[in-house]
Amino acid sequence: MRIATAVIGLLALAALAGCKSPTYGGGGGGGGGGGGGGGGPAGEIVVGNILFKSSHNGTQNPAIDTVAVGSTVTWTWTATGSVPHSVQSLGTPSFASSAIETGDGKTYSVTFTTPGTYQYACAVHGAAMSGRIVVR
């Protein structure tokens, strides 16, 4: 019985050790990047075939990134082939939406100067492709 309790305790500790905060340093003016799954800078988002994916922490649909006020977030069309996509701001607060683009290598960037939680989706695919930028 003591061994089972010890094993459960060790598993719980291992699970807690793997937890990471979804808050990351900003881009733009310096600031730290830091931990998280994907390892890329916060604010870099892959636009793929029916997905938005954070390059920093690997979250997708919704892709979720937390950035500092003044940071620029860039979406990059990667392996999309001839499927069109866009970055469409939803709700309030909002940001200027991108045009609908087709083809790999396209990019769209927004600099966030006001704190808030910004929701977005693809105008072509709706809720099937979504994300959220938290600006602090």
Side-chain angles (χ1 to χ4, degrees):
M1 183 62 132
R2 289 182 190 214
I3 292 175
T5 303
V7 169
I8 291 170
L10 287 173
L11 290 173
L13 264 174
L16 286 173
C19 293
K20 296 193 187 255
S21 168
T23 304
Y24 308 102
E44 289 187 6
I45 307 197
V46 171
V47 179
N49 275 331
I50 321 301
L51 68 83
F52 286 118
K53 182 175 182 178
S54 167
S55 293
H56 184 69
N57 59 33
T59 56
Q60 69 182 41
N61 293 337
I64 303 170
D65 268 305
T66 300
V67 299
V69 170
S71 294
T72 299
V73 173
T74 301
W75 290 263
T76 302
W77 279 240
T78 304
T80 58
S82 61
V83 179
H85 300 291
S86 72
V87 178
Q88 179 180 26
S89 182
L90 305 172
T92 303
S94 64
F95 58 90
S97 298
S98 77
I100 295 174
E101 299 280 358
T102 302
D104 296 345
K106 304 285 193 216
T107 62
Y108 181 69
S109 297
V110 174
T111 300
F112 290 90
T113 58
T114 304
T117 300
Y118 297 80
Q119 306 285 339
Y120 63 91
C122 175
V124 176
H125 298 99
M129 285 180 71
S130 65
R132 177 171 56 238
I133 305 295
V134 178
V135 180
R136 296 189 177 157

